[in-house]
Amino acid sequence: MTVKVAWGFVLVATVFLSPTPAVAVTDVIGGTDNSSLANPWDGKGNVFRIDSSVFLREHEFFLNFSGSQSISYYVYRSPSEFGTYDLVQSNSILHNGIGDAWYSSGPINVMLHSADHYLLAFSYDSSTTPVTTYYFNTAETLPVSFGAYVHGFATGVHPLGATVNSGSNDQAVYYHRITTTEVPEPASLLLAAGGLIAVGHRRRWRREE
């Protein structure tokens, strides 16, 4: 009698890969062509159309003041350029003013989704000292690495609420520095989280008489 016995094994190998560090990209819009004191316009910001999803890591406005000043920073989202924007993130920073300088939101981590519009803004109480000067250029639209600046925003309200309405383009491009990183592709996330699994199957036959 001939008996055939099959046996084998499965080899599973996991290759752990280190995720590629995210590269920060900084966009700067606006400039110092024009300047003004805030009162009665306590809140300023720029609206962006998002063409490629990114993570917003920090945003800064170029201002001038001396002494202690609390500034609030905001991220709002809307499906359309004009209309109601919903608050996504906000925080306040107590700055020690040093005159003309970039004043930062500090580190944040907010995903800006492709095809939406986002308002990145700041506000402060202009009825108190120190007196604060802001700067701006003018333009209809400007390209940025993740989409485009599409219009400026101004309001006499501080602090800004859970929603704001942006209904017109004042063509002011407030002097603004925005730092973002790419959103990793799904495949990259998988490799970074666990690795690549390779499966091999091997079979051997043994013949017995």
Side-chain angles (χ1 to χ4, degrees):
M1 179 180 63
T2 299
V3 178
K4 292 183 178 180
V5 178
W7 63 276
F9 64 91
V10 175
L11 173 65
V12 179
T14 303
V15 181
F16 290 96
L17 303 177
S18 299
T20 302
V23 177
V25 177
T26 300
D27 291 277
V28 180
I29 63 170
T32 56
D33 288 354
N34 304 284
S35 64
S36 180
L37 301 179
N39 200 22
W41 303 107
D42 298 345
K44 303 289 185 183
N46 295 308
V47 174
F48 299 89
R49 184 191 72 240
I50 310 302
D51 295 337
S52 300
S53 296
V54 292
F55 287 110
L56 175 65
R57 301 301 188 179
E58 180 186 19
H59 67 119
E60 309 157 85
F61 287 90
F62 194 83
L63 306 170
N64 183 315
F65 63 90
S66 300
S68 181
Q69 175 74 281
S70 179
I71 299 179
S72 296
Y73 299 85
Y74 309 88
V75 180
Y76 287 88
R77 180 182 183 182
S78 174
S80 57
E81 179 181 351
F82 296 110
T84 300
Y85 282 73
D86 296 315
L87 182 64
V88 176
Q89 186 271 348
S90 67
N91 65 296
S92 296
I93 302 289
L94 183 62
H95 292 286
N96 183 28
I98 55 172
D100 278 343
W102 290 105
Y103 294 92
S104 170
S105 65
I108 58 176
N109 184 22
V110 179
M111 186 172 176
L112 307 183
H113 295 266
S114 176
D116 281 340
H117 291 75
Y118 286 83
L119 165 62
L120 308 184
F122 73 96
S123 72
Y124 54 93
D125 186 353
S126 64
S127 67
T128 62
T129 55
V131 175
T132 302
T133 301
Y134 63 89
Y135 298 91
F136 63 99
N137 290 355
T138 57
E140 284 284 349
T141 185
L142 292 170
V144 293
S145 62
F146 50 87
Y149 157 88
V150 290
H151 73 263
F153 170 85
T155 180
V157 175
H158 171 77
L160 304 186
T163 62
V164 297
N165 185 73
S166 187
S168 62
N169 183 4
D170 66 5
Q171 297 184 347
V173 187
Y174 300 102
Y175 202 7
H176 196 182
R177 188 160 68 182
I178 309 100
T179 300
T180 59
T181 59
E182 290 183 341
V183 175
E185 295 293 332
S188 298
L189 290 173
L190 176 62
L191 292 175
L196 176 66
I197 298 178
V199 178
H201 188 91
R202 180 176 169 185
R203 186 184 300 267
R204 177 176 293 176
W205 295 92
R206 181 163 56 92
R207 183 182 182 88
E208 293 185 358
E209 297 298 334

